[in-house]
């Protein structure tokens, strides 16, 4: 399978040009201001009821049958996003969404009806929206509109930073992300856990995964697991946290004029990134570190997990005291605002003092870039890690090739499944026709039997069951053949042959004419 991605770039133009129309309830009410008060009140109440019903329908979880019918109508998958490869941390942090809000964002994207299924993946290195819709033009316009509004960015500014992929290219991108090939640190394992969480959220009661998207995400998780178990790509690999440790170790003598082993260390935050950070520091002989956090619970858990490391725990009230006596401060806190910036350092008497290294691995950033303007202060963020991990990528070229072979297999598997959904309308037509013929012949049989004598309900039930069994057994072969066809060309040929054999198109045209006559 060849993945070019070139054809999907044209979606930008349609996204910028398209602007969905909306009908305002208040405008309807204003247009009727000249009518009597009762009429206006009734109109407002009726309009309000319609709005409530629309909202309820959007929140209602689709049944399995509804999801399957929607998927068979030609839903195509797409992805719009930005990552450390395409956008700076300043842009990424404007769109970052905490995990507990992923489903809320997905619901907002799907709220207009232009997007049928959606799932959000937001990490420190990437922000991506995976979505499925029958109309790429309207759906892309909706997602672009959402991103522009959320990040307070113009469409032009978005276009400079985001990428857009459609169809097989979107599927291939997800497989590479889950396999760790698109990560800043090739083979890192944290992204697989994040894609898994994206899938789990998409199938929750308030998720918007649907039949197609949830299957694609689940395939992505399976692909990531295969890559890590069947290749050596994750063996000895580093994470963002360990890259931060390596960066600080590499620059300690230059920036601080002392060896890394003698540096006094502190970390702000006590989440997963901090745990990984301490793990890698401990492997380098770390004996003591100070953790600054909003509460005591998580630092206490970390202290129990690392009994060989002396962990001093401080609350945020003591932040500046800790910064003042540390040589290297890592920051990995969940915060919408800067924890450390130039003004705060000046206010707390830390400007122009002894050398200080700040290594920020949080997104949104915890450390303002203006800290580099402070004398003797050296601030780094995740974008500065690229030079450190380039060596890691070069060492893994062989494993990357092996991983891509496996990822192609998983991509083909999903794409073949997706194409098999095109057979569902034909299968439904075949079942409807067979059942129609069965009922017609059964009615004839029933009339003849009733003329010859009275037939009991039990006997009628047996005849009914017999007719259904015969039809199901006859249809099993053709329907299994349609579902199991491997490639789209063979499947389209099989659909055409079955339609001609059973005259399904004639029946469809006949139903259309009958419906027009009724109108």
């Amino acid at each position: 399978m060849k993945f070019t991605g070139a054809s999907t770039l044209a979606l930008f133009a349609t996204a910028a040009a398209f602007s969905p129309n909306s009908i305002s309830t208040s405008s309807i009410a204003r247009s009727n201001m000249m009518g009597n008060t009762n009429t206006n009140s009734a109109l407002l109440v009726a309009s309000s009821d319609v709005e409530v019903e629309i909202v309820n329908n959007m929140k209602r979880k689709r049944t399995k049958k509804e999801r399957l019918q929607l998927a068979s109508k030609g839903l195509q998958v797409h992805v719009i996003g930005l990552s450390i490869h395409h956008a700076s941390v300043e842009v990424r942090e404007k769109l970052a969404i905490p995990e507990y809000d992923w489903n809320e964002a997905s619901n907002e994207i799907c709220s207009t009806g232009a997007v049928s299924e959606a799932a959000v993946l937001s990490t420190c290195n990437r922000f991506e929206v995976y979505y499925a819709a029958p109309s790429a033009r309207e759906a892309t316009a909706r997602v672009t509109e959402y991103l522009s509004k959320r990040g307070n960015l113009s469409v032009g500014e978005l276009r400079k930073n985001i990428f857009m992929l459609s169809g097989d290219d979107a599927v291939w991108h997800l497989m590479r992300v889950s396999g760790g090939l698109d990560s800043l640190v090739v083979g890192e394992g944290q992204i697989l856990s994040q894609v898994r969480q994206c899938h789990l959220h998409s199938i929750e009661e308030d998720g918007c995964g649907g039949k197609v998207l949830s299957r694609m995400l689940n395939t992505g998780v399976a692909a990531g697991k295969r890559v890590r178990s069947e290749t050596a790509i994750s063996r000895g690999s580093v994470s963002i946290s360990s890259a931060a440790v390596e960066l600080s170790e590499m620059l300690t003598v230059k920036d601080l004029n002392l060896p890394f082993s003698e540096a006094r260390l502190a970390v702000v935050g006590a989440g997963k990134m901090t745990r990984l950070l301490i793990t890698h520091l401990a492997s380098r002989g770390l004996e003591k570190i100070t953790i600054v956090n909003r509460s005591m619970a998580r630092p206490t858990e970390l202290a129990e997990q690392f009994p060989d490391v002396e962990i001093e725990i401080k609350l945020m009230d003591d932040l500046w005291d800790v910064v003042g006596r540390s040589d290297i401060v890592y920051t990995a806190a969940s915060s919408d605002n800067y924890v450390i910036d130039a003004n705060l350092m000046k206010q707390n008497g830390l400007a122009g003092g002894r050398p200080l290294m700040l290594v920020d691995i949080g997104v949104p950033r915890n450390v303002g870039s203006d800290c580099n303007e402070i004398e003797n202060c050296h601030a780094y963020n995740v974008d500065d890690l690229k030079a450190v991990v380039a060596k890691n990528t070069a060492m893994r070229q062989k494993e990357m090739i092996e991983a891509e072979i496996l990822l192609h297999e998983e991509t083909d598997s999903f794409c073949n499944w997706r194409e098999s959904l095109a057979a569902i309308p034909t299968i439904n037509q075949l079942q409807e026709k067979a059942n129609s013929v069965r009922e017609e012949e059964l009615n004839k049989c029933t009339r003849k039997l009733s003329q010859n004598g009275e037939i009991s309900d039990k006997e009628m039930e047996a005849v009914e069951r017999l007719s259904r069994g015969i039809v199901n057994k006859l249809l099993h072969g053709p329907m299994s053949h349609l579902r199991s066809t491997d490639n789209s060309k063979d499947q389209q040929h099989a659909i055409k042959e079955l339609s001609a054999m059973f005259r399904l198109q004639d029946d469809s045209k006949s139903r259309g004419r009958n419906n027009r006559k009724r109108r």
Side-chain angles (χ1 to χ4, degrees):
M1 186 177 290
K2 186 178 180 182
F3 302 92
T4 62
S7 60
T8 61
L9 295 177
L11 288 173
F12 275 122
T14 58
F18 181 78
S19 178
N21 296 320
S22 60
I23 299 174
S24 169
T25 304
S26 59
S27 65
I28 297 173
R30 284 195 300 271
S31 68
N32 288 276
M33 284 293 287
M34 299 305 292
N36 60 56
T37 305
N38 291 337
T39 303
N40 286 337
S41 300
L43 180 61
L44 286 170
V45 170
S47 300
S48 178
D49 289 343
V50 170
E51 286 181 338
V52 170
E53 184 178 351
I54 290 172
V55 171
N56 288 337
N57 285 338
M58 288 190 299
K59 289 182 177 180
R60 181 179 65 84
K61 192 75 172 177
R62 295 189 184 101
T63 64
K64 182 178 180 181
K65 184 178 180 181
E66 287 173 333
R67 294 196 301 271
L68 191 60
Q69 287 176 342
L70 189 62
S72 68
K73 289 181 180 177
L75 289 186
Q76 187 59 280
V77 292
H78 314 274
V79 58
I80 291 180
L82 65 169
S83 73
I84 196 167
H85 306 300
H86 310 87
S88 65
V89 67
E90 289 87 354
V91 176
R92 297 201 307 274
E93 66 187 5
K94 290 181 179 179
L95 293 171
I97 300 177
E99 187 179 327
Y100 55 78
D101 282 337
W102 286 2
N103 280 357
E104 183 180 340
S106 299
N107 276 280
E108 187 174 344
I109 290 169
C110 293
S111 62
T112 65
V115 176
S116 302
E117 304 175 4
V120 170
L121 175 64
S122 181
T123 74
C124 61
N125 284 331
R126 68 183 64 249
F127 174 86
E128 297 175 349
V129 178
Y130 293 91
Y131 59 102
S135 170
R137 177 176 176 270
E138 294 184 17
T140 301
R142 171 57 190 150
V143 177
T144 305
E145 178 190 29
Y146 171 80
L147 295 180
S148 176
K149 180 181 176 182
R150 175 172 181 82
N152 195 24
L153 299 165
S154 66
V155 173
E157 194 172 355
L158 272 176
R159 290 180 64 177
K160 295 176 185 176
N161 293 281
I162 65 176
F163 64 88
M164 306 172 76
L165 298 170
S166 185
D168 293 351
D169 295 324
V171 180
W172 176 239
H173 172 75
L174 173 64
M175 299 304 153
R176 282 180 53 83
V177 168
S178 188
L181 302 192
D182 196 61
S183 297
L184 175 63
V185 181
V186 174
E188 58 102 357
Q190 194 173 2
I191 187 61
L192 175 58
S193 174
Q194 290 160 338
V195 172
R196 180 175 178 272
Q197 287 304 111
C198 180
H199 170 247
L200 292 177
H201 285 304
S202 75
I203 59 176
E204 288 175 345
E205 190 65 28
D206 62 339
C208 298
K211 182 77 176 178
V212 175
L213 212 56
S214 60
R215 174 74 174 242
M216 184 177 80
L217 291 168
N218 192 38
T219 303
V221 174
K225 289 179 179 178
R226 274 195 72 188
V227 164
R228 286 164 178 80
S229 63
E230 297 180 31
T231 73
I233 198 163
S234 62
R235 193 172 301 160
S237 69
V238 293
S239 64
I240 295 297
S241 298
S242 65
V245 171
E246 188 173 339
L247 176 73
S248 55
E249 187 177 30
M250 184 172 63
L251 298 175
T252 301
V253 174
K254 172 179 170 290
D255 290 349
L256 306 179
N257 197 30
L258 56 79
F260 183 72
S261 58
E262 296 179 12
R264 290 168 294 184
L265 309 179
V267 58
V268 181
K272 186 181 292 186
M273 298 290 274
T274 298
R275 179 174 59 78
L276 293 172
L277 194 70
I278 296 176
T279 299
H280 294 294
L281 287 169
S283 69
R284 284 167 163 76
L286 171 72
E287 295 180 354
K288 183 177 181 179
I289 191 169
T290 301
I291 297 179
V292 182
N293 197 50
R294 295 187 186 91
S295 64
M296 299 289 289
R298 284 189 173 180
T300 302
E301 291 177 9
L302 290 173
E304 293 173 354
Q305 291 176 27
F306 298 94
D308 296 333
V309 179
E310 182 184 342
I311 296 179
E312 180 185 18
I313 302 173
K314 294 287 186 178
L315 295 177
M316 291 300 288
D317 292 341
D318 297 317
L319 171 66
W320 297 107
D321 175 61
V322 173
V323 173
R325 56 185 169 88
S326 300
D327 299 307
I328 302 174
V329 178
Y330 302 95
T331 60
S334 176
S335 175
D336 294 331
N337 301 313
Y338 291 139
V339 177
I340 302 173
D341 63 17
N343 286 333
L344 290 171
M345 290 186 68
K346 291 175 183 176
Q347 290 172 18
N348 289 275
L350 296 178
R354 58 187 184 77
L356 173 67
M357 182 187 293
L358 301 173
V359 184
D360 183 11
I361 54 176
V363 176
R365 287 173 297 170
N366 298 157
V367 177
S369 56
D370 58 0
C371 287
N372 282 311
E373 299 172 6
I374 300 291
E375 186 181 356
N376 290 333
C377 183
H378 308 276
Y380 303 95
N381 59 44
V382 290
D383 287 358
D384 296 310
L385 302 178
K386 292 180 180 178
V388 176
V389 300
K391 180 174 62 177
N392 169 267
T393 304
M395 292 170 59
R396 298 181 185 282
Q397 290 300 320
K398 179 175 176 291
E399 286 81 4
M400 289 176 69
I401 294 171
E402 293 175 356
E404 286 196 335
I405 293 172
L406 298 178
L407 293 177
H408 273 298
E409 292 176 5
E410 294 295 333
T411 302
D412 290 344
S413 173
F414 171 79
C415 291
N416 289 336
W417 172 84
R418 171 66 192 86
E419 289 166 355
S420 74
L421 296 178
I424 291 176
T426 302
I427 291 172
N428 291 339
Q429 282 182 295
L430 190 57
Q431 288 176 323
E432 287 175 9
K433 173 149 189 175
N435 196 49
S436 176
V437 172
R438 182 191 69 80
E439 289 179 347
E440 186 179 334
E441 295 303 316
L442 185 61
N443 288 335
K444 291 178 184 178
C445 176
T446 303
R447 285 197 297 271
K448 289 180 181 179
L449 288 173
S450 59
Q451 289 173 0
N452 296 332
E454 188 175 339
I455 182 170
S456 68
D457 292 341
K458 193 172 183 180
E459 290 170 330
M460 191 65 232
E461 186 182 339
V463 174
E464 171 87 14
R465 199 182 305 116
L466 174 66
S467 65
R468 287 186 183 279
I470 292 171
V471 167
N472 289 339
K473 285 186 180 295
L474 285 173
L475 292 183
H476 177 72
M479 290 195 297
S480 296
H481 177 66
L482 277 180
R483 291 191 182 104
S484 62
T485 306
D486 288 337
N487 63 69
S488 58
K489 288 185 178 179
D490 290 345
Q491 187 183 71
Q492 290 300 320
H493 179 71
I495 288 173
K496 191 174 180 180
E497 288 294 318
L498 276 175
S499 296
M501 272 189 264
F502 290 94
R503 296 183 178 179
L504 299 181
Q505 294 300 325
D506 294 345
D507 290 348
S508 179
K509 291 176 182 177
S510 177
R511 281 195 299 271
R513 284 195 297 269
N514 291 336
N515 289 336
R516 285 194 294 273
K517 286 179 182 178
R518 290 193 194 100
R519 294 195 194 104

